[in-house]
């Protein structure tokens, strides 16, 4: 016998003692899936047969069952489950977690059960107990369906039990194996003409019947449409919309979830008494012009719709009114109700309409939830959710979301077909200005156009500490530089990093031309300057003011003066520059003293003394040659270490001796320059240097064609000369610019740093060039650092895009905040 059991369900085994429940559970389910009442009695009382512990045992069993169901795991309860109150507790647990309760009844003759019971030493009750159990079983068979069990399998006799086979079935809403690509269409509300236009713009080809009515649509690229419900009511042609969508679904070209308007129409068609409001009379009048056969097809179609779908390996959920994460892939009345109607606060607004609870503001799930139901003028991603109802029937537009690209496509309504009771408002009304702490606290999921990221709550808390105590004004802080990944470890003898590895990394990413820029050893600086001086600021890579007003303001004044011709050339009132402030000691003096100079001073003091002592020991005939050689090597390494950090220590007095090396112009008024190539960025940097050579330091560079070995060799020689002269190294960047992508349109690393041999001595320690140390360091794992660099880079680009679009400050700031939060992730700081 085949027993169909939902993949996610609570299975209650029902049977008298000796019926073989435990054996059945062991044969058909994993040990971890089975919760035995005997086992829990043993946990509570150290005796599985101590019936006085049953109440506590079942409390514990129900608790564990709930935890398993909450985690989405099949759970089997091995107990007699012969009393209705015992089963009621299991049904309650199943309903609390929105899963289906299933009963598997093992019905064996009482005589066989008694024979098995007598053979067990741990069963000491009399035959009358078993007789009572058997009577309870007979009574239970007629009650299971009324008690709420959705599937009931009764196995009668040992032969049926032995022949039983469990077959797991997916819930109707589980379409995780469907990967699309999808075109998800918002609320149509009878606007057939707009639906036809939208499908055409999306590349669909309409199929028509002999009367010219659209009855199906096919996409040449094999895409599948998904309709979020509310196909009917208020619009001019609800039957036409139904005919097209029903045909697409029947042909396998589309999926559809029900909306509250379909639900109400189905109740009316099924003879229920409903209020004829909100466009239903118009739909019934339109259906009256069709055949009775079509009306019955409509009724059957709506009755067969599933509350929501989980698609694309769980990455996408579609429900009419949205769906909280706890309900994804679940099946219950409250899940269906939420999917159809959403959640209300119990209040009504000034228009007499229910006030809906803004569930999307609290959503933290990893799956994107796409829905409709509440008209909004413009679709907007909120915590990985988006509403596609853009009020077509109210004169707005009909909108589709292309998945997985997340591209929005809309067509305007031909007219206002139905006057809205309430003016269209955005799902999350926000002022154009002003920030809210709720935008950045807690665990958040952000879709930033170049990808998606999750900001853990603990990372957000760390970023909030920095932002709240140390950073510049958050509305000023419109961009932060991403972390930068080093090149792959080199196999060149004596080197941990070498240009050939950097070139190979970018070549592997599909980059054919790069720019090698001198890596300045200073402190990263982001500079915003304007013609008027309003809002000018300079901040560090973690968003902090650079020196303080006494030095920042005169520094910004000089940058502003030098940028005057650039403002005019680019037609902008302000500029955002990415730069390096030199020397390193100007900003990092305490770091050098506390972390580097102390090591060098200790080594330079102790090692010469130790070597002198060994020389005296050797003069007295002691064999200390090997030890002296090691200490001499160590002394040379310490000298090299000290020379390495001293190269970046320069005297400064106020701004005297301080220079700025700009290398990218990020943005201006209503424009992002991320799409410009690096020749463009560096040419502007050169003009700033020419205007004020005392303040600005040039960035030396070479352009390298990665298909030309001679060009690579020349760049390698250039790098060797730079580093031999005390330079830190170079950054190898895609020549195409900060927004460079690969052949598939994916972002590539904005830059790969290749640091010099002596500079790395500061990072990895005086002795890092020893062969055994280099071999160990070559095993360093760069994957996390590279992933972090790409994520922060994408967030930064998105912040520049939103800035250029004139987005409200909070939408820019949430991305900058996410970059700062990402810096809390545990990554080797030496990379």
């Amino acid at each position: 016998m085949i027993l169909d059991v939902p993949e996610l369900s609570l299975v209650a085994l029902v049977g008298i003692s000796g019926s073989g429940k435990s054996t059945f559970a062991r044969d058909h389910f994993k040990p971890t899936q089975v919760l035995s009442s005997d086992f829990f009695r043993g946990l509570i009382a150290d005796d599985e047969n101590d019936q006085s512990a049953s109440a506590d045992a079942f409390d514990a069993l129900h608790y564990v069952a709930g935890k398993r169901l909450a985690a989405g795991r099949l759970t089997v309860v091995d107990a007699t489950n012969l009393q209705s109150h015992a089963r009621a507790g299991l049904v309650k647990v199943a309903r609390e977690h929105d899963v289906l309760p299933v009963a598997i009844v093992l019905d064996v003759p009482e005589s066989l059960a008694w024979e098995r019971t007598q053979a067990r030493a741990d069963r000491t009750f009399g035959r009358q107990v078993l007789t009572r159990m058997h009577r309870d079983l007979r009574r239970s068979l007629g009650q299971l369906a009324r008690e709420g069990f959705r599937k009931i399998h009764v196995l009668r006799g040992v032969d049926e039990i032995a022949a039983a086979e469990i077959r797991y079935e997916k819930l109707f809403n589980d379409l995780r194996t469907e990967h699309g690509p999808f075109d998800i269409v918002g609320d149509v509300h009878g606007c057939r003409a707009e639906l036809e236009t939208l499908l055409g713009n999306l590349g669909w080809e309409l199929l028509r019947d002999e009367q010219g009515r659209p009855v199906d649509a096919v996409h040449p690229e094999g895409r599948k449409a998904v309709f979020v419900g509310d196909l009917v009511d208020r619009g001019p042609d609800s039957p036409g919309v139904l005919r097209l969508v029903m045909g697409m679904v029947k042909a396998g070209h589309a999926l559809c979830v029900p909306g509250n308007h379909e639900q109400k129409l189905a109740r009316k068609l099924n003879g229920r008494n409903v209020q004829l409001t909100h466009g239903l009379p118009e739909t019934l009048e339109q259906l009256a012009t069709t055949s009775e056969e079509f009306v019955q097809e409509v009724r059957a179609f709506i009755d067969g719709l599933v509350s929501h779908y989980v698609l694309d390996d769980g990455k996408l959920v579609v429900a009419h009114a949205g769906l909280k994460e706890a309900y994804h892939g679940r099946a219950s009345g409250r899940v269906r109700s939420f999917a159809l109607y959403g959640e209300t606060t119990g209040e009504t607004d000034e228009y007499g309409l229910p006030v809906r609870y803004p569930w999307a503001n609290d959503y933290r799930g990893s799956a994107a939830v796409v829905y409709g139901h509440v008209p909004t003028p413009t679709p907007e991603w909120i915590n990985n959710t988006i509403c596609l109802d853009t009020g077509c029937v109210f004169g707005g537009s009909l909108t589709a979301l292309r998945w997985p690209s997340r591209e929005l496509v809309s067509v305007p309504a031909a007219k206002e077909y139905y006057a809205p009771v309430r003016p269209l408002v955005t799902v999350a009304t926000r002022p154009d200005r002003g920030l809210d702490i709720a935008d950045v606290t807690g665990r958040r999921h952000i879709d930033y156009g170049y990808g998606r990221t999750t900001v853990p709550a603990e990372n957000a808390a760390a970023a909030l500490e920095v932002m709240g105590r140390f950073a510049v004004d958050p509305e000023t802080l419109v961009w932060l530089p991403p972390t930068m990944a080093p090149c792959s470890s080199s196999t060149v003898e004596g080197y941990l990093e070498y240009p050939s590895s950097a070139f190979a990394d970018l070549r592997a990413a599909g980059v054919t031309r790069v720019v090698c820029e001198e890596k300045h050893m200073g402190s990263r600086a982001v500079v915003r300057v304007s013609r008027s001086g309003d809002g000018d600021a300079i901040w560090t890579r973690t968003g902090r003011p650079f020196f303080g007003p006494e030095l920042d303001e005169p520094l910004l004044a000089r940058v502003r003066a030098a940028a005057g011709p650039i403002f005019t050339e680019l037609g902008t009132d302000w500029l955002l520059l990415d730069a390096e402030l030199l020397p390193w000691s100007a900003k990092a003096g305490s770091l050098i003293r506390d972390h580097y100079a102390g090591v060098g001073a200790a080594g330079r003091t102790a090692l010469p003394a130790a070597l002198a002592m060994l020389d005296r020991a050797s003069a007295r005939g002691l064999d200390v040659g090997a030890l002296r050689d090691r200490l001499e090597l160590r002394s040379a390494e310490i000298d090299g270490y000290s020379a390495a950090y001293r190269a970046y220590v320069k005297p400064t007095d106020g701004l005297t001796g301080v220079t700025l090396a700009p290398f990218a112009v990020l943005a201006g008024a209503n424009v992002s320059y991320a799409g410009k190539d690096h020749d463009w960025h560096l040419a502007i940097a050169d003009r700033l240097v020419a205007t004020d050579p005392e303040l600005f330091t040039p960035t030396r560079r070479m352009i390298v064609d990665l298909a030309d070995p001679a060009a690579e060799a020349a760049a390698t020689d250039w790098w060797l000369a730079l580093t031999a002269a005390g330079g830190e190294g170079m950054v190898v960047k895609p020549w195409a610019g900060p927004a460079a992508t690969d052949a598939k349109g994916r972002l590539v690393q904005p830059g790969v740093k290749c640091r010099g041999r002596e500079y790395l001595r500061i990072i990895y320690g005086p002795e890092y060039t020893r062969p055994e140390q280099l071999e160990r360091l070559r095993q360093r794992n760069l994957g996390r650092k590279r992933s972090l660099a790409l994520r922060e880079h994408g967030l930064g680009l998105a912040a520049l895009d939103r800035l250029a679009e004139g987005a409200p400050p909070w939408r820019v700031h949430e991305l900058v905040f996410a970059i700062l939060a990402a810096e809390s992730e545990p990554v080797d700081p030496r990379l």
Side-chain angles (χ1 to χ4, degrees):
M1 295 184 63
I2 303 297
L3 310 184
D4 288 324
V5 173
E7 285 184 332
L8 177 55
S9 58
L10 177 64
V11 179
L13 300 181
V14 182
I16 65 176
S17 180
S19 60
K21 298 183 300 301
S22 297
T23 301
F24 184 88
R26 186 168 55 250
D27 291 345
H28 295 282
F29 301 101
K30 298 176 182 177
T32 52
Q33 294 175 324
V34 180
L35 306 182
S36 164
S37 60
D38 288 347
F39 175 77
F40 278 90
R41 264 190 294 269
L43 286 179
I44 300 297
D46 292 329
D47 182 358
E48 293 186 353
N49 295 305
D50 186 350
Q51 297 301 314
S52 67
S54 290
D56 289 337
F58 275 99
D59 279 346
L61 185 151
H62 290 166
Y63 177 80
V64 175
K67 290 297 184 181
R68 286 187 56 84
L69 295 175
R73 294 182 173 89
L74 176 79
T75 301
V76 180
V77 178
D78 175 12
T80 58
N81 293 319
L82 295 173
Q83 286 78 39
S84 59
H85 67 85
R87 296 189 297 270
L90 297 180
V91 172
K92 180 174 181 288
V93 171
R95 286 177 172 167
E96 285 174 348
H97 296 87
D98 305 289
V99 302
L100 300 179
V102 176
I104 299 179
V105 182
L106 277 60
D107 185 6
V108 302
E110 182 185 331
S111 57
L112 175 61
W114 177 241
E115 179 183 331
R116 291 173 174 173
T117 300
Q118 286 182 305
R120 293 183 57 178
D122 61 339
R123 293 292 188 262
T124 58
F125 54 80
R127 177 70 180 264
Q128 72 279 6
V129 174
L130 204 63
T131 299
R132 186 174 65 251
M133 286 184 177
H134 198 263
R135 185 171 60 250
D136 289 341
L137 177 66
R138 302 260 71 80
R139 186 182 301 114
S140 298
L141 291 175
Q143 297 175 343
L144 294 173
R146 293 196 299 272
E147 291 172 353
F149 286 93
R150 296 291 294 272
K151 283 183 176 289
I152 302 167
H153 301 291
V154 181
L155 301 174
R156 291 185 168 86
V158 293
D159 291 340
E160 286 192 5
I161 294 173
E165 179 182 340
I166 302 294
R167 181 172 63 189
Y168 293 109
E169 60 181 11
K170 293 182 179 297
L171 294 177
F172 293 133
N173 57 42
D174 185 358
L175 293 182
R176 285 174 291 183
T177 55
E178 290 263 7
H179 299 109
F182 301 108
D183 291 330
I184 309 168
V185 181
D187 301 39
V188 182
H189 278 302
C191 299
R192 178 188 54 78
E194 286 82 355
L195 176 57
E196 290 187 34
T197 301
L198 178 62
L199 290 174
N201 290 351
L202 291 167
W204 289 77
E205 298 172 358
L206 294 173
L207 304 179
R208 301 180 183 272
D209 62 12
E210 62 280 358
Q211 300 179 47
R213 300 175 301 190
V215 294
D216 192 8
V218 179
H219 200 284
E221 297 175 3
R223 301 181 70 87
K224 181 170 283 191
V226 185
F227 294 91
V228 303
D230 276 5
L231 304 173
V232 302
D233 292 351
R234 296 176 173 149
D237 192 1
S238 290
V241 172
L242 286 166
R243 187 176 291 109
L244 174 55
V245 174
M246 288 163 55
M248 293 175 70
V249 171
K250 183 177 180 180
H253 300 144
L255 299 167
C256 183
V257 297
N260 56 298
H261 284 263
E262 281 81 52
Q263 191 72 5
K264 188 174 182 181
L265 173 60
R267 293 204 304 273
K268 178 63 177 176
L269 296 180
N270 286 321
R272 303 284 293 278
N273 185 24
V274 300
Q275 292 185 354
L276 299 180
T277 56
H278 303 303
L280 180 58
E282 289 82 354
T283 298
L284 294 173
E285 184 178 328
Q286 292 164 14
L287 285 173
T289 65
T290 66
S291 67
E292 180 61 25
E293 179 184 5
F294 178 76
V295 173
Q296 293 308 313
E297 288 176 359
V298 169
R299 183 184 62 79
F301 170 73
I302 297 174
D303 285 344
L305 295 178
V306 179
S307 66
H308 71 284
Y309 284 117
V310 180
L311 302 158
D312 197 13
D313 295 325
K315 300 172 188 172
L316 173 65
V317 172
V318 179
H320 174 63
L323 206 62
K324 296 191 292 189
E325 183 180 18
Y327 293 168
H328 294 180
R330 305 296 173 117
S332 70
R334 69 174 177 176
V335 170
R336 185 173 182 85
S337 177
F338 194 104
L340 283 169
Y341 307 106
E343 191 173 21
T344 61
T345 65
E347 304 167 293
T348 56
D349 62 16
E350 66 270 30
Y351 303 99
L353 298 176
V355 176
R356 305 197 181 279
Y357 183 79
W359 66 273
N361 291 346
D362 300 328
Y363 182 74
R364 298 296 183 267
S366 58
V369 180
V370 183
Y371 63 104
H373 190 51
V374 180
T376 178
T378 305
E380 181 179 312
W381 284 100
I382 299 174
N383 293 333
N384 212 19
T385 77
I386 190 168
C387 177
L388 295 184
D389 183 0
T390 45
C392 183
V393 76
F394 300 128
S397 61
L398 185 61
T399 298
L401 172 74
R402 310 198 81 177
W403 181 272
S405 66
R406 301 192 176 211
E407 175 191 358
L408 290 167
V409 179
S410 297
V411 297
K415 56 182 288 190
E416 181 187 277
Y417 299 103
Y418 199 93
V421 175
R422 176 175 53 200
L424 298 189
V425 295
T426 57
V427 174
T429 55
R430 288 294 307 270
D432 285 344
R433 297 199 59 78
L435 305 177
D436 190 326
I437 194 171
D439 295 330
V440 294
T441 52
R443 181 180 174 89
R444 305 189 67 80
H445 297 281
I446 301 176
D447 185 309
Y448 51 94
Y450 299 93
R452 289 175 292 155
T453 190
T454 298
V455 180
E458 58 272 22
N459 290 20
L464 192 59
E465 173 77 3
V466 173
M467 193 72 71
R469 295 182 61 191
F470 308 114
V472 299
D473 183 341
E475 291 196 5
T476 300
L477 191 63
V478 293
W479 186 81
L480 283 175
T483 189
M484 185 176 296
C487 62
S488 297
S489 298
S490 171
T491 57
V492 176
E493 184 176 356
Y495 288 90
L496 181 61
E497 296 179 9
Y498 204 74
S500 55
S501 297
F503 297 142
D505 289 341
L506 286 169
R507 189 183 298 108
V511 177
T512 58
R513 195 180 190 201
V514 299
V515 57
C516 301
E517 295 182 7
E518 170 188 11
K519 192 172 192 311
H520 300 286
M521 184 51 185
S523 303
R524 194 74 171 263
V526 183
V527 183
R528 184 202 188 275
V529 288
S530 63
R531 288 183 188 272
S532 64
D534 292 338
D536 287 4
I538 177 170
W539 59 88
T540 69
R541 69 177 311 274
T542 56
R544 306 178 189 220
F546 222 86
F547 295 117
E550 68 283 355
L551 293 182
D552 286 357
E553 290 177 4
L555 175 63
L556 289 167
R558 289 186 63 180
V559 176
R560 187 184 312 125
I566 310 298
F567 291 138
T568 303
E569 176 186 338
L570 298 181
T572 182
D573 292 329
W574 60 270
L575 290 171
L576 189 67
L577 306 175
D578 192 8
E580 194 88 0
L581 188 137
L582 307 169
W584 186 32
S585 55
K587 182 63 177 172
S590 60
L591 175 70
I592 296 169
R593 286 190 300 272
D594 296 343
H595 292 272
Y596 301 111
V599 174
R604 294 191 306 275
T605 300
L607 289 171
L611 287 169
M613 182 180 65
L614 289 175
D615 286 340
R616 290 194 297 272
S618 178
R620 288 161 43 200
L622 296 177
D623 184 10
V624 293
L627 177 58
R628 192 189 189 287
D629 289 344
R630 289 199 302 273
L631 289 185
E632 190 169 29
L633 173 61
R634 179 69 170 167
S635 180
E637 290 168 341
I638 283 289
D639 288 342
Y641 176 82
S642 300
Y645 69 74
R646 282 172 173 169
Y648 308 115
V649 176
K650 300 284 172 43
T652 58
D653 181 11
L655 292 181
T656 302
V658 171
T659 65
L660 198 64
F663 46 81
V665 184
L666 300 167
N670 301 315
V671 62
S672 166
Y673 298 119
K676 300 288 189 178
D677 63 53
H678 282 292
D679 276 352
W680 183 89
H681 289 279
L682 290 169
I684 291 181
D686 288 344
R687 291 205 288 281
L688 291 172
V689 173
T691 303
D692 188 346
E694 182 181 336
L695 174 64
F696 292 103
T697 291
T699 296
R700 293 173 285 180
R701 67 268 194 181
M702 286 187 69
I703 306 291
V704 179
D705 182 347
L706 293 182
D708 183 358
E712 286 194 28
T716 300
D717 290 342
W718 179 69
W719 177 83
L720 288 169
L722 278 178
T723 56
E728 179 183 345
M730 68 181 180
V731 180
V732 184
K733 302 177 179 179
W735 174 86
T741 58
D742 63 15
K744 295 183 179 179
R746 299 171 301 193
L747 288 177
V748 298
Q749 291 287 350
V752 174
K753 58 187 177 185
C754 181
R755 296 166 291 183
R757 174 182 161 98
E758 290 309 308
Y759 170 79
L760 286 174
R761 205 177 292 280
I762 304 174
I763 305 300
Y764 287 106
E767 71 287 351
Y768 97 100
T769 51
R770 296 179 188 179
E772 66 276 12
Q773 294 279 38
L774 275 177
E775 188 57 36
R776 179 179 61 83
L777 289 172
R778 286 184 176 124
Q779 308 309 311
R780 58 187 183 165
N781 187 351
L782 301 179
R784 192 178 186 92
K785 180 76 168 182
R786 287 172 170 171
S787 174
L788 185 64
L790 269 180
R791 190 190 330 154
E792 292 183 3
H793 176 50
L795 287 164
L797 289 177
L800 296 177
D801 291 342
R802 290 186 184 180
L803 189 66
E805 294 165 4
W810 69 271
R811 296 204 69 226
V812 178
H813 180 62
E814 69 171 350
L815 301 176
V816 179
F817 188 90
I819 297 172
L820 188 58
E823 287 296 303
S824 301
E825 294 194 14
V827 177
D828 186 346
R830 300 173 300 176
L831 294 178

